[in-house]
Structures are given as C-alpha cells and as structure tokens.
Amino acid sequence: MTTSPSANADPNALLPDSELAFFAPLLPWQQQAWTQLTAPQNQAALPHALLAAGIEGIGKRAFIWRLVAWLLCRERHTHPLGACGVCESCDWLKSGTHPNLQVLPLHSLPMVASEEASASTAKSSKSAAKEGADSPKRTIKIDDIRQLISFVHQGSQGIRVCVFDYAEQMTIGAANALLKTLEEPQPQVHLLLLTDSPAQLLPTIKSRVQQLPLQRIPFELATGYIKAQLGEQVSDAEVAQLLSLANGAPLAAVAMASAPWYSKRKVWLTVWLALRAGKRSAMAASDYWQKELSLAEFTQLTELMLIDLNRIVLGLDSLQPDCEIAAALPAEFLPSIEALDSLAEVIAASKRAIQQNVQEKLAYDKLMQSIAQT
Ligand SMILES: [Zn+2]
C-alpha cells in the first residue's frame, strides 16, 4: 500500500528520534526564552556563550539542540520559530555530519547517543546502566578543548557552533584552556554549555557565560505537558505526584511514569514490611526482585522510597499519597534516622557497583540485607 502524506501531516512525524532532536516542537515553558533569544531585533546581539543549566528532565538539551539547528540553518532569518528542516545545513544535521558543529563529548550528539542506546539495549541493560553520572566518557579533557579551539579559530565560512555537554565534568585543565575562548568572542562562533549540576560547574566558567532562563517552569504548563504525554486517563493527583517526585522536572516525571519500577512502589512497601516482620528472608526477597527489575532500576526505586521514609520519620507528608506509606507504618514501627542513613550509604555503594559492573547478584543481596535491617 502506498500512502501520500496529507497536507496537514506533521513534517517531523517521519523523522527518527535522533533527527527529531534538532527539529522538535518547542516545549511549552520555553516559549519566552526562545522568543527573547531569536527575535529579529535581538539576533545581532546574541550572546556568544550560553549556558543551559538545571536538573535533568527540564528540557535543556531539547532547547539546545533546537537552538543549534536554528543557529546553523541557512533560512533562519525567515524562520524565527526554528530551523527550516530543508536547507543544506538542516540536511547535514540530519545526517550527523555538519562541518560547522562540534560536540563534546562526542557521544552527546543525538545521532551517536541514540545509536549507543540501541546498541546497549541489544547487549544488556548493564552497559546502559553504566552510562550514569561521572561516567568517564562524559569527561571533557584538555586535548578535546585544544582541538575545539582550532575549530573556533579556523575562520571558515558561516556560523560555527560548539556544544559542551556535562560541562561540570570538564577537567580543571580543560576549563582553563577554554577560558580565553569564552572571554574573547569570535565572529560567527557560538559556544553552548549544558549542565545537570550547575553547583559543580567551575565559577570561572559560570561567570563568563550567559545563563538561559529555562529553570522556572509554571506548574500549569508542567502538569499540562505531563498529561498530554501520558494521556487523559492519568488523574490530576497522579500528575501532581509525579511532578513533585521528579522535583518539578516535567520530562523526568514522564520518564518516571513510564519506567518499569515506578508501578512497583506498593510492592516494594509490602516486601519491605514482610522483611521487617521476619515473614520473608532477605535472600528470598532478593531473588524475587532480581526477576522483576535490574539492579539499576531497583536501586532507583529504593532511593525514591527512602526519600519518602525520611520525610515520614521527620513528620512531613509523604510525596506518594497513593502508596499510603504512613498508614502502613504506625509510629512505633518507624525506622530510625540512623537506619535510613545506613540504607542511603548502601544505595550509594550499589550505584558505584553498577558503574563498576560488579556481579549484580552480590550487590542486589547486599542492598536487600540493608533494606531488611531498616
Ligand atoms: Zn534550514
């Protein structure tokens, strides 16, 4: 059967995710930041070094890839709302070979990232889990910066764009090597920095870039977006709970709702209560969970439950009213602060174990023992 796209078809509908990153619709809470940056009267004064900072899941990378495409687009002066998607530059982006774009670390480039993701899914979930924070592949080293500086100064034709993802993981040497380039704008060069941990970004870098206003997300826009992504059957209360569990980051809330571990929070609570009551052994519980979730997923689930247990012990409301944790825990059965602290330590150890690719069963058993003692 042959189909011809209708006149109203979304031109992005046929693009793979990796290409869509450059041409995706603007997230609703980024409207103002985009308009300010790209308005025709502001284009001449576009800051040469921009920083997109904030926790994971607020859409910083979506904004930056969109901005990259627009800055490079040949038709940008007549397309203030985003790259045209059809010029030579937009085609280069789609093929992942734009000569005027440099990305550090390279695997942050949407094409490479999606290829690696599918390769690691094909292998095992372990290698995907290893790609966590502080992964050595995320580090930007001094040699990377030196290469990039020669690209900045090569004086080729047209706009050139450099993206520094996980900028907080630049080594001190790399950051120092970059300072001069940040301080002396080169004509037609744009430097775009990204960080999930702005507090860890070196102050010398932070003071030389202009921060994009992407962090403040109105509650209504965030909940409206989550609802649109998850479908109308999700209640307002569920959406609000997801958003608060995700610290107000809408994309993180949507990812959490779709994660295999999120639907197992009540089971976690039941198993934990059975462990504490001595009705189940830690080994049996560990065997059970290993069939349900990977260690990375179970660690994430346990971390979320621990946040709530800490809140309840401190007399605060649970962030997950749907789990009715407080009702299941009479005051005399509350865990001690010390027990919660030592569980937090074992969770941290479990995360390190995931990165070091140690034998999953050992780390799983250890975590379960600590949960049983909490
Ligand atoms: Zn274009």
Side-chain angles (χ1 to χ4, degrees):
M1 190 181 79
T2 53
T3 52
S4 58
S6 80
N8 295 328
D10 175 1
N12 289 332
L14 299 170
L15 288 175
D17 285 355
S18 55
E19 294 175 22
L20 184 61
F22 294 109
F23 307 102
L26 194 59
L27 292 163
W29 54 90
Q30 298 179 343
Q31 209 73 253
Q32 208 181 342
W34 183 269
T35 314
Q36 268 173 14
L37 209 58
T38 60
Q41 67 274 19
N42 297 341
Q43 286 188 21
L46 212 62
H48 81 291
L50 288 164
L51 170 67
I55 58 168
E56 218 170 330
I58 58 172
K60 306 179 299 289
R61 289 184 179 83
F63 189 92
I64 289 294
W65 293 127
R66 215 172 175 280
L67 183 62
V68 164
W70 179 79
L71 285 169
L72 292 169
C73 177
R74 298 273 159 88
E75 304 295 328
R76 75 161 156 147
H77 295 288
T78 51
H79 284 75
L81 300 178
C84 77
V86 292
C87 70
E88 191 180 28
S89 167
C90 289
D91 277 343
W92 277 333
L93 273 182
K94 288 178 198 168
S95 62
T97 56
H98 204 299
N100 289 12
L101 172 65
Q102 289 282 314
V103 176
L104 286 178
L106 179 65
H107 74 114
S108 284
L109 191 67
M111 282 74 194
V112 185
S114 78
E115 246 171 53
E116 285 187 355
S118 54
S120 63
T121 324
K123 269 188 279 163
S124 74
S125 60
K126 271 184 193 160
S127 51
K130 266 181 81 183
E131 271 304 299
D134 304 322
S135 154
K137 282 178 78 181
R138 286 189 179 174
T139 310
I140 299 175
K141 301 200 179 71
I142 189 163
D143 287 342
D144 302 327
I145 298 290
R146 284 187 180 136
Q147 275 185 15
L148 192 125
I149 289 171
S150 63
F151 165 78
V152 165
H153 291 272
Q154 76 190 175
S156 79
Q157 296 252 306
I159 302 257
R160 273 160 294 148
V161 179
C162 305
V163 177
F164 306 82
D165 204 354
Y166 311 105
E168 81 286 353
Q169 293 201 37
M170 247 184 251
T171 63
I172 304 252
N176 285 335
L178 185 63
L179 285 186
K180 200 161 177 270
T181 310
L182 284 177
E183 270 181 2
E184 296 170 359
Q186 298 293 315
Q188 300 204 299
V189 172
H190 295 276
L191 309 172
L192 310 176
L193 284 74
L194 279 154
T195 179
D196 298 324
S197 315
Q200 288 174 33
L201 190 62
L202 291 169
T204 45
I205 297 281
K206 215 186 275 182
S207 61
R208 285 165 175 84
V209 295
Q210 185 168 325
Q211 192 163 337
L212 289 161
L214 301 177
Q215 297 197 53
R216 207 169 300 149
I217 304 175
F219 182 79
E220 287 71 24
L221 291 182
T223 51
Y225 173 83
I226 297 169
K227 248 191 139 115
Q229 296 296 308
L230 297 180
E232 286 299 320
Q233 70 275 18
V234 182
S235 73
D236 289 347
E238 284 170 290
V239 169
Q241 173 172 321
L242 278 165
L243 189 60
S244 84
L245 288 173
N247 290 316
L251 304 191
V254 171
M256 188 184 290
S258 332
W261 56 266
Y262 186 74
S263 60
K264 301 194 187 296
R265 294 169 296 123
K266 278 186 188 167
V267 183
W268 189 98
L269 189 64
T270 310
V271 173
W272 176 57
L273 292 172
L275 282 169
R276 299 183 88 208
K279 290 179 189 155
R280 204 161 186 179
S281 76
M283 286 303 128
S286 179
D287 288 343
Y288 166 78
W289 277 114
Q290 283 174 58
K291 288 189 206 108
E292 296 289 314
L293 296 174
S294 73
L295 177 62
E297 290 163 342
F298 184 74
T299 306
Q300 240 180 323
L301 169 61
T302 305
E303 194 168 33
L304 183 76
M305 300 309 285
L306 179 64
I307 290 172
D308 240 10
L309 290 176
N310 265 310
R311 288 181 63 90
I312 291 164
V313 167
L314 293 171
L316 299 166
D317 285 339
S318 162
L319 293 175
Q320 314 174 68
D322 65 342
C323 272
E324 296 168 336
I325 303 177
L329 271 182
E332 63 269 29
F333 289 122
L334 283 181
S336 68
I337 293 278
E338 292 74 23
L340 294 178
D341 281 351
S342 58
L343 179 56
E345 277 169 31
V346 178
I347 289 175
S350 169
K351 286 182 176 173
R352 285 194 297 275
I354 292 163
Q355 281 191 29
Q356 291 156 6
N357 216 4
V358 302
Q359 207 200 338
E360 184 147 327
K361 182 175 165 33
L362 280 178
Y364 228 123
D365 288 347
K366 209 169 169 201
L367 179 55
M368 202 62 66
Q369 256 152 13
S370 178
I371 292 171
Q373 286 158 11
T374 300

